[in-house]
Amino acid sequence: MSTVEQRTAAVTRRREIGEVLLAVENIELRFGGVTALADVSFDVRRGEIRAIIGPNGAGKSSMLNVINGFYQPQGGTISWKGQRLRRMRPHFAAKNGIARTFQNIALFKGMTTLDNIMTGRILKMRASLLEQALYWGRARREELEHRAFVERIIDFLEIQHIRNTPVGKLPYGLQKRVELARALAMEPELLLLDEPMAGMNLEEKEDMVRFILDVNEEFGTTVILIEHDMSVVMDISDRVVVLDHGRLLADGTPDEVSRDPRVIEAYLGVVHD
Amino acid sequence: MIYRETGQFKTSYAADQAILRLREDRIGLLVILAIAYVVMPLVASEYWLSTIMLPFLIYALAALGLNILTGYAGQISLGTGGFMATGAFAAYKLATAFPGLDFVVVLVLAGLITAFVGILFGLPSLRIKGFYLAVATLAAQFFLLWLYNKIPWFTNYSASGVISAPTRTAFGIPVTGFEASVTTKYLFVLVVVTLLSLAAKNMTRLEVGRSWMAIRDMDIAAEIIGIRPLTAKLSAFAVSSFYCGIAGALWAFSYTGAVEALAFDIGVSFRVLFMIIIGGLGTILGNYLGAAFIVLLPIFLNNALLGLGMQEAVAMASHLEAMIMGALIVFFLIVEPHGLARLWQILKEKLRKWPFPY
């Protein structure tokens, strides 16, 4: 895609970019003597697609783990909708609309696609154990209501045909899609995608990019994306964070970042004379 | 061609959420229920009902309990016998302390008490997994049996430690003890097992069941979508123990008629574990198949061996029976590690296409 096309694409899919949804400040994360993240700060605005890039071991996945409370940083703060938190907890994150997918798929392998996606609705279900045992009252009502919602996501991601297949039997590309579906079932405000296109062929990648853009546009979901495919990152993201060895190297629009000499040196490669 | 979904359309999610989606399945279940409720009491002898059907049903119920914990929630337990004993002694204490109490209420309360005990012994599961958890639940097995043996309060200060279960009524009909006929006992146990099976099926296909399976398959991902491991694991322990407790109470009151701790030793725990492994982990059907395999097959083998002219060598027959049983278990696990329930599923797939090869 040329620069011109890129700009038009950016213009045509213009959404509202709103206030700061999430901000991380001076995050420090160490494992024993290894520093995974050092003094990393950036923010994410409502409605934008924010990419995190960097070489292997730069701390990208660790950053996502900090954001959804899976790792507890030793220092720094996370602000969620203006509320400053010393630490994030996975349950708090889930309840407040932060969903994620994993680099190496974390689906429930013994369960069907439908059941996997339905787990994304668990926080919205209120039926008591007794009601569930009797499939009565709220249990029945909620099950049907959430089933209808989940079916909309299934339609959206075009996975109707694998609805009742155990996910362990699905090919890799479809598993990635089911994982996205499960995250979407949570109706997230912020979606953390850890290499959603890794290991995919071109066609699957294009599908996935389309889905991410559609989610962002139709539901207004804010997206944080880790991706190695530079053309994808440059095409779809609004702003890019570059990490290297756990430090923030650059932060800006794709154009700014790709012109930044430090980024070119560390990541994109530099021509030595 | 015999068994297929073609032409059976679902027009609402409610219809699609039905437990049995296919007409063939519904007919099959009705036939089984008719045999269990009508044919069995009419045709089967007292011997059949009291020594074969009752232990089969009660073991199936205990297997259901353990399968919820191990098959669905992925927490290995060797404490089944201890939880069954808890149910039996709780029912005994309740039935003797409140003689007028309906036996259904006694069962439910005994189940709830066992559920509470199960939660206590489930607490280590929050920290340990797999084989280590199995060893921790062994503690429940030994400690609980020791408790009921050593503290005379549990046996109402009986000298021998073996006490006969008193006659109690459910809705005015005597269902336990000497006054209840074998047929009544059988039908009562059958009703309990039917209702609890339906409840288990419902739980495992709804939210709570999905949270158990999520914890089993990938606890990290489960936590990230908002499932609390504490709630999911302890609810699995509670429901599982509830089922095991009721199974234990029925064992003492409806089957043996005697309440004794020794009836629930470690052998029982292993036997129930074998049932769910052979029957199929994480299935409801597997519990019945596994219980039938473990309870009925030895009886069948025994009769077959005696029929082959081994009347004089009864001891020899029982040794042979154990050997054949062991060999069959190994054979089935090699042929189908996912259990008999999986074999049934494969058969259904085959029936769908039969008589065409594809």
Side-chain angles (χ1 to χ4, degrees), chain B residues 89-341:
Chain B
F89 279 96
Y92 176 68
K93 289 303 288 185
L94 286 165
T96 48
F98 310 98
L101 208 56
D102 195 283
F103 191 58
V104 174
V105 180
V106 171
L107 273 187
V108 172
L109 290 178
L112 290 176
I113 291 168
T114 318
F116 178 72
V117 174
I119 290 176
L120 287 185
F121 283 96
L123 287 173
S125 72
L126 305 174
R127 286 279 166 203
I128 50 180
K129 291 178 188 173
F131 291 118
Y132 302 95
L133 180 63
V135 173
T137 54
L138 259 187
Q141 171 73 40
F142 288 118
F143 173 75
L144 290 171
L145 287 203
W146 171 84
L147 193 71
Y148 305 136
N149 257 332
K150 285 295 167 213
I151 298 183
W153 180 78
F154 286 108
T155 51
N156 282 354
Y157 306 98
S158 143
S160 65
V162 181
I163 37 187
S164 58
T167 300
R168 287 294 175 266
T169 60
F171 306 109
I173 306 159
V175 289
T176 67
F178 297 114
E179 285 162 52
S181 72
V182 171
T183 314
T184 324
K185 284 181 186 170
Y186 165 75
L187 283 175
F188 179 74
V189 172
L190 186 60
V191 171
V192 173
V193 172
T194 313
L195 292 179
L196 286 178
S197 301
L198 180 64
K201 182 70 196 169
N202 277 336
M203 279 186 278
T204 51
R205 72 199 179 107
L206 296 179
E207 173 204 341
V208 64
R210 284 193 289 261
S211 66
W212 292 337
M213 290 186 276
I215 288 285
R216 171 195 70 189
D217 284 352
M218 183 141 314
D219 49 358
I220 291 168
E223 208 176 336
I224 290 215
I225 58 171
I227 295 170
R228 288 180 190 274
L230 176 95
T231 325
K233 286 179 180 174
L234 292 188
S235 67
F237 266 98
V239 174
S240 161
S241 309
F242 181 84
Y243 277 68
C244 290
I246 287 185
L250 288 176
W251 185 269
F253 277 74
S254 301
Y255 174 49
T256 61
V259 187
E260 56 171 333
L262 283 178
F264 304 106
D265 64 1
I266 182 77
V268 173
S269 298
F270 277 125
R271 194 175 285 192
V272 178
L273 186 65
F274 293 157
M275 283 176 193
I276 65 167
I277 292 173
I278 291 169
L281 290 169
T283 64
I284 300 288
L285 175 70
N287 301 308
Y288 305 100
L289 299 179
F293 189 91
I294 299 276
V295 175
L296 301 185
L297 204 62
I299 296 170
F300 171 77
L301 279 178
N302 195 296
N303 286 339
L305 288 171
L306 291 181
L308 284 173
M310 297 190 76
Q311 277 90 344
E312 296 82 30
V314 176
M316 184 64 188
S318 72
H319 289 313
L320 263 181
E321 177 197 317
M323 285 163 68
I324 297 174
M325 200 59 202
L328 276 174
I329 291 175
V330 174
F331 173 75
F332 269 108
L333 289 182
I334 291 172
V335 172
E336 188 47 72
H338 297 291
L340 298 171

Side-chain angles (χ1 to χ4, degrees), chain A:
Chain A
M1 211 184 244
S2 74
T3 333
V4 179
E5 280 166 6
Q6 206 173 313
R7 289 226 183 83
T8 18
V11 171
T12 49
R13 64 170 198 89
R14 197 61 305 167
R15 319 130 312 233
E16 304 290 300
I17 297 230
E19 78 287 0
V20 173
L21 185 65
L22 174 100
V24 292
E25 283 161 64
N26 314 106
I27 294 291
E28 293 273 341
L29 180 71
R30 287 183 300 274
F31 298 107
V34 182
T35 304
L37 293 167
D39 198 24
V40 176
S41 308
F42 63 89
D43 63 20
V44 182
R45 291 180 172 275
R46 189 184 287 279
E48 75 177 338
I49 296 182
R50 193 79 152 104
I52 302 180
I53 62 170
N56 288 329
K60 305 183 295 293
S61 292
S62 296
M63 193 64 237
L64 288 199
N65 283 336
V66 166
I67 291 175
N68 76 351
F70 204 64
Y71 288 164
Q72 304 297 335
Q74 278 82 13
T77 54
I78 302 175
S79 309
W80 173 248
K81 295 183 182 171
Q83 186 189 351
R84 283 169 71 92
L85 305 163
R86 174 69 188 79
R87 50 183 20 188
M88 189 65 113
R89 291 273 179 207
H91 192 79
F92 179 90
K95 242 167 71 179
N96 282 276
I98 301 179
R100 81 170 282 185
T101 66
F102 292 81
Q103 187 176 350
N104 35 14
I105 305 169
L107 285 169
F108 309 123
K109 294 224 176 342
M111 298 161 73
T112 62
T113 300
L114 182 63
D115 276 340
N116 263 282
I117 307 174
M118 284 293 276
T119 57
R121 306 295 291 170
I122 271 177
L123 277 176
K124 301 189 189 318
M125 297 196 180
R126 295 279 169 276
S128 67
L129 192 62
L130 190 64
E131 282 170 307
Q132 292 184 56
L134 301 173
Y135 191 44
W136 175 74
R138 269 187 304 185
R140 189 184 157 83
R141 214 164 46 237
E142 284 179 346
E143 186 73 7
L144 298 177
E145 195 182 297
H146 292 300
R147 172 78 193 269
F149 184 89
V150 162
E151 288 290 341
R152 285 211 294 279
I153 294 172
I154 289 178
D155 280 350
F156 177 73
L157 293 177
E158 295 160 19
I159 46 178
Q160 297 93 334
H161 58 295
I162 53 165
R163 197 187 274 125
N164 292 319
T165 315
V167 292
K169 290 184 179 165
L170 295 175
Y172 180 81
L174 280 177
Q175 290 198 10
K176 283 263 180 195
R177 219 186 279 183
V178 174
E179 206 188 8
L180 177 63
R182 184 182 67 189
L184 288 180
M186 296 170 70
E187 294 177 73
E189 286 188 66
L190 176 62
L191 187 57
L192 313 176
L193 302 175
D194 197 345
E195 300 199 22
M197 281 153 263
M200 287 187 170
N201 63 31
L202 187 63
E203 197 185 339
E204 289 171 326
K205 267 187 195 175
E206 282 173 350
D207 282 348
M208 190 53 103
V209 168
R210 196 66 250 160
F211 289 135
I212 294 171
L213 289 175
D214 280 350
V215 167
N216 178 246
E217 264 167 61
E218 287 188 23
F219 309 132
T221 310
T222 312
V223 177
I224 300 182
L225 172 79
I226 295 179
E227 187 48 55
H228 278 298
D229 188 322
M230 270 310 117
S231 61
V232 169
V233 169
M234 296 303 167
D235 277 356
I236 72 172
S237 49
D238 297 297
R239 286 190 296 160
V240 181
V241 173
V242 188
L243 294 180
D244 186 29
H245 292 104
R247 288 176 190 283
L248 188 83
L249 205 61
D251 183 2
T253 63
D255 275 353
E256 289 165 13
V257 165
S258 56
R259 278 198 304 267
D260 191 312
R262 283 171 306 165
V263 176
I264 293 168
E265 189 180 349
Y267 191 46
L268 299 175
V270 68
V271 184
H272 293 279
D273 296 322

